[in-house]
Amino acid sequence: MNILLLGSGGRECALAWKLQQSPLCDSLYIAPGNAGTLAYGTNLPVSVTDFEAIKKICIDKQIDILLPGPEDPLVEGIYDFFKADAELQHIIVAGPSKEGAQLEGSKAFSKKFMQRHNIPTAGYQEFNKDTFDQGIAYLQQHNLPIVIKADGLAAGKGVVIAQTHNEAIIAFTQMIKEGQFGNAGDKVVVEQFLDGIEMSVFVLTDGTYYALLPEAKDYKRILEGDKGPNTGGMGAISPVPFADDVFMKKVTDRVILPTVKGLAAENITYRGFIFFGLIKVNNEPYVIEYNCRMGDPETEVVIPRLENDLVDLILKMSEGRLNEVIMQHSAQKACTVMLVSAGYPGSYEKGKVMTGFANTENSLLFHAGTANKGNEVVSNGGRVLAVTSLANTLEDALEISYKNIESISYDGKTYRKDIGYEFI
Ligand code: AMP
Ligand code: GLY
């Protein structure tokens, strides 16, 4: 199988690492990739949303499987683009149709979907320009805090948790009237605040059956103790200590099964990953969000714990045979600690020379925002490198990652020192 993986983050580096281990993988291409993915395949300088350029690669390289890492190409309809093209339609696309990707691409769509299928989620109301005044009135009588979400993709920045009514009204107005997130804010979801602990659950579905991947917990805030602004994710652990069998049974019965069955019942084509962003409130799971792809940095701990062959899983998915698969998760505990650029998630500088990779041992170094410059590796993004370790205990895994981080140097090296802290 010749495989084209789209994306350039730590998630894609971990996926590339896994894909190239499969005996079913002949050639692996990554578009655009980073300095780390080069170790596992060939990087091609093409944007993940340039469908015509992606088409050309698929024909030139005789691609059999397309795996989109991030959501943008899926939400923009890369699945439908491939299936409508006589030269591409034989290619397996490991991701949902444009309609299915609305689970992530539109908060209003996903809330209505959950309502139709009785999937537990926060109560909500949806507003737009025409119902702006009703929205303001609704906010004024709402319990605090109030969660306000731009409907569309907003690079993880479209959610405001307002602590006062005034803050809520400002955020709501900026989204709907002032185009803060462009079209993504044409509709706004106002929802009830859920107080609990978050975690992420992942499945690969063929539209009828699904395979459960290891679960994970990510650390979204920039500062220790979960303070400061949200980031793409500063680290993750897997398994999740509080996701015991009783809780996971509830997740299966109330969230995963109704979602997979709901998609099928509504004839929504969905063969790909579903990421359930969950919150546990009084031992009950609620869905905070769906994503139509794997998480980042969750993938950097989920994939190393997946013992099945990922290419085989994708082939089984394409044939509707995921019921035949026996999932094997490693009993080891995994952690990943993300190294970021100074200033992130605000403005930061790129191009810092990175050294010391060869002095690390027993960790997997999944590159995120890195690039090659001559013979050197330089930083090329906010999140730079995910340092993943596995061990028999979470404590040991963390110790390995934190020790190796000391060996890696670049100007402005920044990371959280408390990943997994609450479980030690
Ligand atoms: P989302 O983009 O929907 O995942 O929201 C981003 C983050 O906002 C989540 O990871 C939560 O930390 C927080 N959040 C979203 N919705 C809620 C809610 N209803 N109650 C509490 N926190 C929420
Ligand atoms: N780590 C959260 C996400 O990938 O959306």
Side-chain angles (χ1 to χ4, degrees):
M1 295 278 140
N2 296 330
I3 304 175
L4 174 60
L5 171 64
L6 301 181
S8 59
R11 167 182 50 212
E12 285 74 26
C13 196
L15 289 169
W17 169 82
K18 182 74 176 169
L19 291 167
Q20 63 84 39
Q21 291 173 41
S22 168
L24 296 166
C25 178
D26 296 313
S27 297
L28 176 63
Y29 300 91
I30 308 100
N34 60 37
T37 58
L38 276 177
Y40 313 120
T42 306
N43 286 351
L44 299 169
V46 162
S47 145
V48 299
T49 50
D50 186 346
F51 292 0
E52 288 299 335
I54 292 167
K55 171 175 175 175
K56 187 166 182 309
I57 297 174
C58 287
I59 293 168
D60 290 351
K61 308 292 186 194
Q62 298 183 317
I63 295 298
D64 303 293
I65 297 175
L66 175 77
L67 173 53
E71 63 278 15
D72 306 45
L74 293 163
V75 173
E76 290 184 24
I78 199 160
Y79 177 93
D80 309 69
F81 176 86
F82 269 60
K83 296 304 152 185
D85 189 308
E87 289 177 287
L88 301 178
Q89 60 193 195
H90 64 283
I91 295 173
I92 296 168
V93 179
S97 65
K98 185 171 184 170
E99 193 184 12
Q102 290 297 296
L103 279 188
E104 173 165 5
S106 166
K107 303 273 186 206
F109 177 94
S110 72
K111 292 299 269 190
K112 279 187 217 131
F113 178 86
M114 286 186 262
Q115 234 172 18
R116 284 197 295 278
H117 299 287
N118 258 320
I119 295 165
T121 188
Y124 82 105
Q125 290 282 326
E126 179 192 325
F127 299 98
N128 58 34
K129 272 200 176 68
D130 298 335
T131 54
F132 179 80
D133 293 340
Q134 282 119 285
I136 297 288
Y138 182 76
L139 289 173
Q140 275 160 340
Q141 54 77 48
H142 201 289
N143 292 344
L144 294 172
I146 312 174
V147 183
I148 298 157
K149 299 184 175 181
D151 175 60
L153 292 183
K157 300 193 174 71
V159 176
V160 172
I161 301 186
Q163 302 297 337
T164 67
H165 289 104
N166 197 32
E167 212 183 303
I169 289 165
I170 291 170
F172 183 78
T173 309
Q174 281 174 340
M175 285 183 197
I176 292 196
K177 284 242 161 126
E178 292 160 24
Q180 187 186 17
F181 300 111
N183 293 342
D186 285 354
K187 278 189 243 169
V188 169
V189 163
V190 176
E191 68 178 40
Q192 169 203 2
F193 178 80
L194 296 175
D195 195 8
I197 183 159
E198 286 178 64
M199 64 171 290
S200 311
V201 168
F202 305 91
V203 302
L204 183 68
T205 182
D206 58 22
T208 307
Y209 307 107
Y210 71 89
L212 180 70
L213 299 162
E215 78 285 357
K217 178 182 191 320
D218 82 340
Y219 291 81
K220 287 202 171 82
R221 304 296 192 95
I222 186 72
L223 299 176
E224 274 132 37
D226 294 323
K227 304 262 173 5
N230 260 329
T231 69
M234 296 295 290
I237 60 164
S238 175
V240 177
F242 61 82
D244 55 29
D245 291 349
V246 175
F247 182 72
M248 288 306 288
K249 172 99 173 56
K250 290 181 187 172
V251 172
T252 300
D253 293 345
R254 297 182 197 167
V255 176
I256 301 175
L257 283 170
T259 300
V260 172
K261 286 184 180 160
L263 289 166
E266 296 188 25
N267 287 317
I268 297 174
T269 303
Y270 204 118
R271 284 184 215 99
F273 293 106
I274 312 177
F275 166 157
F276 303 89
L278 303 178
I279 188 159
K280 180 179 175 178
V281 184
N282 297 327
N283 273 320
E284 302 298 324
Y286 291 81
V287 178
I288 291 268
E289 65 165 348
Y290 287 112
N291 293 308
C292 60
R293 48 153 178 102
M294 289 297 290
D296 192 353
E298 290 96 327
T299 302
E300 290 93 303
V301 287
V302 168
I303 287 294
R305 290 192 59 234
L306 175 68
E307 291 178 345
N308 301 67
D309 179 332
L310 182 56
V311 181
D312 180 56
L313 284 178
I314 292 172
L315 292 178
K316 292 271 184 351
M317 175 204 74
S318 75
E319 294 163 359
R321 292 168 54 204
L322 282 175
N323 57 320
E324 295 172 20
V325 167
I326 296 169
M327 291 305 282
Q328 282 163 322
H329 300 178
S330 161
Q332 285 200 303
K333 315 289 189 262
C335 72
T336 196
V337 180
M338 194 56 90
L339 302 186
V340 305
S341 299
Y344 175 79
S347 59
Y348 54 82
E349 290 175 12
K350 296 183 185 176
K352 307 294 181 194
V353 176
M354 302 182 69
T355 58
F357 298 108
N359 300 332
T360 63
E361 51 182 10
N362 300 324
S363 285
L364 293 160
L365 303 181
F366 294 129
H367 288 232
T370 66
N372 282 104
K373 196 172 171 191
N375 291 328
E376 292 177 320
V377 173
V378 297
S379 65
N380 191 40
R383 293 192 292 170
V384 173
L385 187 78
V387 181
T388 296
S389 307
L390 291 112
N392 290 334
T393 66
L394 177 60
E395 197 166 7
D396 288 348
L398 286 162
E399 192 179 316
I400 299 167
S401 281
Y402 281 115
K403 183 166 180 293
N404 282 326
I405 285 171
E406 285 173 27
S407 302
I408 296 166
S409 304
Y410 61 94
D411 188 19
K413 181 174 86 174
T414 303
Y415 59 99
R416 267 180 69 165
K417 297 177 185 64
D418 66 348
I419 300 305
Y421 66 103
E422 73 268 55
F423 303 115
I424 303 295

